[in-house]
Amino acid sequence: MLPSDGRFAPSPTGTLHLGNLRTALLAWLFARSQDARFLLRMEDLDTGRVRERFYDEQVRDLGALGLDWDGPVVRQSDRLDRYGDAIETLAARDLVYECWCTRAEIREAASAPHGDLPEGFYPGTCLRLTGAERAARRAEGRPPALRVRAGAASVTFEDEVAGTVTGAVDDFVVRRNDGAYAYNLAVVVDDAAQGIGEVVRGADLLDSTPRQLWLGERLGLPAPRHAHVPLMLGEDGARLAKRHGAVTLADRAALGETPDDVRALLAASVGLSEPGEAVTPAELVARFSPAVLAPRAGAAR
Ligand SMILES: [Zn+2]
């Protein structure tokens, strides 16, 4: 079994809100409670949305909360060679193909009669192109995306929080038509390269895990364990968002709350402390067990 080294991997596209901070705190607690390494990685491949100021701001907010990490903060944008190598490996194994579909075409095909695909699943249009059709599209000069040839595979894994999860794997994109490497590729390559044994992240990413496990296996990489932790909810029961009001450290500071107060709030929200109880990061490490996140019987996931 891989060591329990963990990571938090935010995208520097905005200010971290309480939900992001709670996921970071939990990822840190999983690792530190097992005396494992904890790494920080910036997932900054979506260059259209990344803003330089958020790198420093996110690092500062995580530090203010009392989290620490091993080694320098890694940026995916510094690691493009590795993703290119992974694409070459997939191509050499005949596991990728070119796709010229627009988003509208994919939506249309998925909603066609007989189109009973799960939402967002690629219907395989470009896999069925003839050699002549493919040559014609290449001649048009519009660059294609690259998709994996997954053949509607199904992957089952044990999640440390969600339990047994089975998910279908469609022909997902590994390199976009603008040349950007896809999240699902980069995360698999990086987690393996960085020796991550336990991926702790928000439950909103649970659906992407079957794809990533499928891809890692095709690339010959060891599979990390997974723990998809519950998302923080607003008072109305919806997933926490900006519209819920004071959701960033800066917002809370404006209300007179220190980062220690916010850490106490986040800890109490998962039952690691009493409401209003001051609690240090070290105390939380001593108290933490993944069992605090076990879904209650009958609770909706
Ligand atoms: Zn296509």
Side-chain angles (χ1 to χ4, degrees):
M1 201 157 82
L2 291 169
S4 298
D5 293 345
R7 84 307 195 270
F8 182 63
S11 293
T13 56
T15 300
L16 296 173
H17 65 53
L18 296 181
N20 309 130
L21 294 170
R22 191 176 80 170
T23 298
L25 175 64
L26 290 171
W28 181 82
L29 287 171
F30 266 85
R32 295 309 197 204
S33 65
Q34 300 175 85
D35 289 323
R37 290 187 311 147
F38 181 72
L39 309 181
L40 194 53
R41 182 173 80 221
M42 290 290 168
E43 304 209 321
D44 60 347
L45 296 180
D46 192 352
T47 50
R49 296 177 56 227
V50 166
R51 298 289 176 270
E52 187 62 33
R53 66 190 165 98
F54 292 125
Y55 291 93
D56 288 344
E57 188 198 76
Q58 293 187 350
V59 166
R60 205 170 50 237
D61 283 356
L62 293 167
L65 207 57
L67 309 192
D68 62 349
W69 46 90
D70 299 295
V73 179
V74 165
R75 294 185 177 201
Q76 288 189 321
S77 55
D78 290 336
R79 302 162 70 83
L80 301 183
D81 287 355
R82 292 169 188 267
Y83 314 134
D85 290 348
I87 294 279
E88 279 184 29
T89 300
L90 294 171
R93 297 175 182 175
D94 197 25
L95 285 169
V96 286
Y97 63 92
E98 296 161 301
C99 171
W100 287 270
C101 295
T102 62
R103 272 178 206 190
E105 284 167 345
I106 293 171
R107 255 199 319 274
E108 204 171 307
S111 62
H114 314 300
D116 51 0
L117 296 165
E119 198 185 331
F121 269 48
Y122 180 66
T125 318
C126 290
L127 185 62
R128 293 187 293 269
L129 294 177
T130 64
E133 287 170 332
R134 195 163 283 127
R137 279 171 177 69
R138 282 183 188 144
E140 284 171 20
R142 194 161 56 91
L146 278 184
R147 291 183 178 276
V148 294
R149 198 187 291 275
S154 174
V155 169
T156 297
F157 66 100
E158 282 301 316
D159 188 272
E160 290 174 66
V161 178
T164 305
V165 177
T166 297
V169 180
D170 71 335
D171 290 0
F172 59 94
V173 169
V174 284
R175 197 180 66 204
R176 301 190 326 204
N177 63 5
D178 64 359
Y181 297 107
Y183 160 76
N184 280 318
L185 176 81
V187 79
V188 167
V189 169
D190 284 337
D191 282 341
Q194 296 187 283
I196 302 302
E198 190 170 51
V199 172
V200 178
R201 58 188 178 189
D204 54 327
L205 291 170
L206 188 60
D207 287 346
S208 61
T209 305
R211 291 185 176 108
Q212 292 168 14
L213 286 168
W214 180 91
L215 187 61
E217 195 178 329
R218 297 306 169 294
L219 289 168
L221 302 173
R225 297 186 298 289
H226 288 86
H228 288 88
V229 301
L231 298 179
M232 198 161 179
L233 306 178
E235 281 176 8
D236 56 359
R239 180 175 160 187
L240 195 73
K242 275 210 163 57
R243 65 184 172 80
H244 286 105
V247 293
T248 67
L249 280 190
D251 294 340
R252 308 302 289 202
L255 298 176
E257 290 182 18
T258 66
D260 289 344
D261 295 331
V262 173
R263 182 176 60 248
L265 172 86
L266 298 177
S269 77
V270 288
L272 284 171
S273 62
E274 295 300 321
E277 178 191 358
V279 61
T280 66
E283 285 167 338
L284 289 176
V285 169
R287 288 180 195 182
F288 180 76
S289 145
V292 301
L293 301 171
R296 283 173 290 278
R301 198 173 74 211

